[in-house]
Amino acid sequence: MIWHRADRTVIGCEEFDRRLDKLVKEDEWILDGNYARTLPIRLTHCDTVFFFFDIPLEVCIEGAKSRLGKERVDMPWVDDEMDPEFLQ
């Protein structure tokens, strides 16, 4: 919810860092995604980490397909088709 813009672009690193800095100072937050660059900041401020889920690729793809055409609180747009780059 802090990375994507409504026009399907993403914010720059400096803006992301500002938003992240504000977010990790709150009492409760969840970050989902592979933001390795900011991992040290997040680890310093968190109390729990789920680092790796060993979920089969087919299950992940089916989960993504099941979200097509549905509004999501973490995305400012609705995807109607699978992104070929994502599938890659």
Side-chain angles (χ1 to χ4, degrees), residues 72-88:
R72 297 171 44 184
V73 298
D74 61 328
M75 299 287 284
W77 64 82
V78 175
D79 281 319
D80 294 321
E81 58 187 39
M82 294 297 288
D83 180 345
E85 184 178 353
F86 172 79
L87 287 174
Q88 187 69 21

Side-chain angles (χ1 to χ4, degrees), residues 27-78:
D27 290 335
E28 296 179 354
W29 48 270
I30 296 173
L31 280 177
D32 175 26
N34 183 16
Y35 306 105
R37 184 182 63 80
T38 60
L39 184 60
I41 296 167
R42 293 177 286 137
L43 289 176
T44 300
H45 290 87
C46 73
D47 62 13
T48 305
V49 175
F50 296 95
F51 191 68
F52 181 74
F53 293 103
D54 190 13
I55 301 172
L57 177 61
E58 297 79 20
V59 173
C60 294
I61 298 298
E62 284 306 312
K65 287 180 179 178
S66 74
R67 293 187 293 273
L68 291 176
K70 297 179 183 175
E71 290 188 20
R72 297 171 44 184
V73 298
D74 61 328
M75 299 287 284
W77 64 82
V78 175

